[in-house]
Amino acid sequence: MSRRKSISRRALLESMLAGGLGAALLPFKGLAMAAPDITKRIPSSGEALPLVGLGSWITFNVGNDRRALNSCADVVRAFFAAGGRLIDSSPMYGSSQATIGYALNKLGDPETLFAADKVWTSSAARGPTQIEQSRRHWDVRAFDLLQVHNLRAWERHLDLLFGMKDEGRLRYVGVTTSHGRRHGDLERIMKRHPLDFVQMTYNASHRAVERRLLPLARERGIAVIANRPYDGGRLIRRAKREVLPSWAAEIGAANWPEFLLKFVVSHPAVNCAIPATTQVVHVRENMRASSGLLPDQATRRRMAAHIRQL
Amino acid sequence: MSEWMTYRLSDFLMFSPSTYFRQFELYNADVWPAHIMTLTLGAACLWLSRQPIAAPQRALPAILAGCWLWVAWGYLYTRYATINWAASYFAGAFVLQAILLFLVGTFGKKLEFGGSIQRAQKAGIAIFLIAMIVQPLIGVIAGRPWVEAEVFGLAPNPTVAATLGLLLAARRWRWELFVIPALWCGIDGATRLAMEAPDFWVMPVVAILVIGLAAAAAIDRRRAARQL
């Protein structure tokens, strides 16, 4: 919905691919499998999304610095060039929304964009105004996904977002948490409301969501966006002190970022991870985790054990 | 409460250190040569604080108030607020401090300087001079380029440190004027600590030193007054 008036040929092809190739890949049976440009389907619609999106926390909050804005635009260009679609932001992220808008305009408004933003205010009355401000920053016609940020005033905002969806002004509704907080509240909301998306922190060192929330998301047909896939960079800093294990090649991971990201996106309930970066080389590394091979359950256990020992 | 305890300081940082310090580079380039004017105003403040009569001294808090107003608008509201939504609240606090300086010092004539110089007053002048001369170089010492220098009257830290120095150098301390500068010192220390900047300790130490010296001197004065 973000920039498209009707379903493009590419979107149609993607949808067909997701229905066929994507569905065949989802069970992840066997050690690893060749899977170029892997996508997973959003359970509530069947629309395909690449496994790796683009976060904007800190990295895109660059104010009016033209040099930094252009650098961020280069990152967004590399993201789309590698087949990326979902970009995620929030009114809480300073100038990140405006930076995304700058990049999108500079790139000529990529048709494949999946625009995901949030509503972040304790005032129910201010929700619509904030959403409109966010939309203007992005300079898109409408968002594809709007999420209640960190469950802030979630009851009132969910009413608003479901209302927008009913009116055809929004395609997907979600809620977010981060840093492993408020899992009890999130579980209750997931059980009671027909969410399309839920966003939570999931990475190789923060796996609490594997116990209840990820299985619940599968059961309820809710797409999962994993935020902080590198634990704010800490995991990469920790991992880079060690040599990448030789068996990483079996899952097509050529470096630590790919290794860590493949662990996150290979969980059957996770639709996509949203690493943030300021560097083109990093966005290319991240996007490579969205293609090639994915680990099966046994390999995931091996990966988790290896990361624990770092 | 328990949920708040699970946050790290860095979880509240919403910009990268390079973005934060680059703002000073762009700001300095935009406002140059205002640095010469604000440093001249700082020198004027020092001269005014040493005048034996009260009338010229009243210009001192007015100059400081002008600097706080400019920092609120020129840096905090129009620049820092673009990467930190809390900065617009900081700008409001700086405007409030400017109003307090004017009301208490210039309009109320309650900020007097001069007379015999005690240990606390000497320390206040020293802190003021450090804020004017040394503080712009701290970034360079910490490994940042000189174009990101923070200068009195333009950037918050040297303006706050110089103000605290002059408040300490006053004949009588107006405690209400210490509150906002001390709070800023804490905020700046926390921000730089979260950014892992090596100079994170500077502003908290300035605040602790100034308030500690003023409090100790105030206690001494009370004891001396009781003995009379």
Side-chain angles (χ1 to χ4, degrees):
Chain A
M1 184 182 279
S2 52
R3 301 225 163 203
R4 291 159 294 172
K5 285 181 181 169
S6 58
I7 298 172
S8 67
R9 190 183 305 166
R10 177 170 177 173
L12 189 64
L13 276 170
E14 277 177 354
S15 176
M16 288 165 67
L17 277 171
L21 179 62
L25 294 174
L26 273 175
F28 301 125
K29 288 174 182 163
L31 175 65
M33 61 212 79
D37 305 315
I38 312 164
T39 59
K40 286 192 190 179
R41 289 180 297 172
I42 300 166
S44 65
S45 70
E47 181 181 1
L49 274 183
L51 296 183
V52 179
L54 186 62
S56 59
W57 170 241
I58 294 181
T59 52
F60 281 9
N61 183 18
V62 296
N64 302 321
D65 183 353
R66 190 50 64 107
R67 187 177 78 186
L69 283 167
N70 286 329
S71 176
C72 291
D74 290 341
V75 167
V76 175
R77 179 185 286 114
F79 174 70
F80 282 112
R85 285 192 64 201
L86 186 149
I87 301 180
D88 178 79
S89 194
S90 167
M92 200 193 90
Y93 297 174
S95 68
S96 294
Q97 295 173 315
T99 301
I100 293 166
Y102 176 87
L104 293 177
N105 278 325
K106 197 173 178 189
L107 301 178
D109 301 335
E111 279 189 0
T112 52
L113 169 69
F114 187 99
D117 207 280
K118 306 184 186 83
V119 56
W120 175 70
T121 170
S122 50
S123 158
R126 199 175 134 56
T129 312
Q130 188 181 67
I131 290 168
E132 176 57 16
Q133 279 175 346
S134 298
R135 191 196 64 76
R136 285 184 187 169
H137 284 312
W138 280 67
D139 195 16
V140 292
R141 194 176 305 144
F143 289 112
D144 295 288
L145 164 65
L146 278 173
Q147 306 150 98
V148 181
H149 192 143
N150 283 349
L151 308 186
R152 195 169 183 185
W154 63 269
E155 283 167 305
R156 286 162 289 176
H157 292 318
L158 272 187
D159 286 343
L160 168 71
L161 300 186
F162 282 124
M164 288 175 69
K165 189 181 172 187
D166 288 344
E167 292 163 12
R169 294 190 290 134
L170 180 66
R171 299 169 65 207
Y172 301 108
V173 174
V175 295
T176 79
T177 64
S178 67
H179 300 77
R181 297 187 181 95
R182 299 189 67 179
H183 281 180
D185 292 334
L186 184 60
E187 186 177 341
R188 280 187 288 278
I189 297 166
M190 288 168 71
K191 284 177 177 169
R192 290 177 194 164
H193 296 274
L195 299 172
D196 300 299
F197 275 86
V198 65
Q199 189 179 133
M200 58 187 78
T201 295
Y202 177 52
N203 57 54
S205 62
H206 288 84
R207 300 173 56 202
V209 295
E210 286 178 357
R211 284 196 294 274
R212 296 176 69 89
L213 294 179
L214 292 179
L216 180 62
R218 285 196 90 186
E219 180 191 318
R220 298 275 296 157
I222 302 171
V224 174
I225 297 174
N227 60 37
R228 300 175 64 82
Y230 300 134
D231 193 21
R234 288 183 195 92
L235 262 173
I236 291 190
R237 286 194 290 275
R238 231 170 77 195
K240 281 189 171 173
R241 290 196 289 256
E242 307 288 333
V243 178
L244 189 70
S246 57
W247 50 268
E250 294 170 22
I251 54 163
N255 50 52
W256 278 113
E258 280 183 54
F259 183 92
L260 295 168
L261 210 47
K262 277 177 182 278
F263 175 81
V264 174
V265 298
S266 62
H267 190 286
V270 173
N271 281 68
C272 128
I274 47 170
T277 179
T278 55
Q279 295 185 40
V280 168
V281 64
H282 289 165
V283 83
R284 287 181 182 143
E285 275 175 2
N286 293 339
M287 293 310 292
R288 277 199 290 272
S290 191
S291 61
L293 307 161
L294 282 180
D296 66 357
Q297 287 302 322
T299 312
R300 281 175 50 78
R301 280 194 291 275
R302 192 180 183 192
M303 292 168 89
H306 190 84
I307 291 161
R308 262 200 307 275
Q309 289 168 358
L310 291 174
Chain B
M1 186 66 186
S2 59
E3 186 184 308
W4 284 103
M5 298 300 286
T6 65
Y7 282 91
R8 297 184 182 115
L9 194 55
S10 58
D11 292 336
F12 296 98
L13 193 68
M14 55 187 293
F15 43 79
S16 68
S18 59
T19 296
Y20 179 79
F21 290 114
R22 166 102 165 130
Q23 283 213 322
F24 287 111
E25 179 183 346
L26 297 171
Y27 179 41
N28 284 333
D30 284 352
V31 300
W32 173 259
H35 307 70
I36 297 165
M37 189 184 78
T38 57
L39 289 172
T40 307
L41 286 173
C45 284
L46 188 62
W47 179 77
L48 287 167
S49 73
R50 304 317 308 154
Q51 295 310 297
I53 49 174
Q57 289 180 9
R58 280 175 222 147
L60 191 160
I63 292 171
L64 283 180
C67 291
W68 278 73
L69 276 178
W70 171 256
V71 172
W73 170 254
Y75 173 72
L76 293 171
Y77 191 76
T78 59
R79 291 168 197 275
Y80 191 27
T82 64
I83 60 166
N84 184 357
W85 48 263
S88 50
Y89 298 102
F90 302 154
F94 270 58
V95 170
L96 182 61
Q97 178 72 8
I99 293 168
L100 281 173
L101 281 165
F102 188 79
L103 287 180
V104 174
T106 306
F107 188 72
K109 306 172 190 173
K110 289 174 183 169
L111 201 60
E112 296 169 342
F113 296 89
S116 62
I117 294 185
Q118 306 297 318
R119 186 182 60 184
Q121 276 74 24
K122 284 180 187 170
I125 296 295
I127 288 167
F128 174 80
L129 288 171
I130 288 168
M132 293 280 290
I133 301 162
V134 179
Q135 204 153 9
L137 305 173
I138 285 177
V140 179
I141 296 164
R144 298 191 293 270
W146 64 270
V147 286
E148 293 175 358
E150 296 163 61
V151 175
F152 168 79
L154 298 170
N157 283 4
T159 307
V160 170
T163 302
L164 281 171
L166 286 176
L167 292 176
L168 183 62
R171 210 183 299 165
R172 290 194 182 281
W173 299 299
R174 303 299 308 186
W175 297 106
E176 67 271 32
L177 295 177
F178 285 78
V179 176
I180 290 173
L183 285 174
W184 174 262
C185 290
I187 289 165
D188 180 78
T191 305
R192 289 179 194 241
L193 183 62
M195 292 192 294
E196 299 178 0
D199 54 343
F200 73 90
W201 53 271
V202 171
M203 292 305 287
V205 164
V206 167
I208 290 166
L209 203 61
V210 166
I211 293 170
L213 283 167
I219 291 165
D220 283 349
R221 280 182 191 175
R222 274 192 194 168
R223 278 187 192 148
R226 276 187 205 144
Q227 285 168 357
L228 286 174

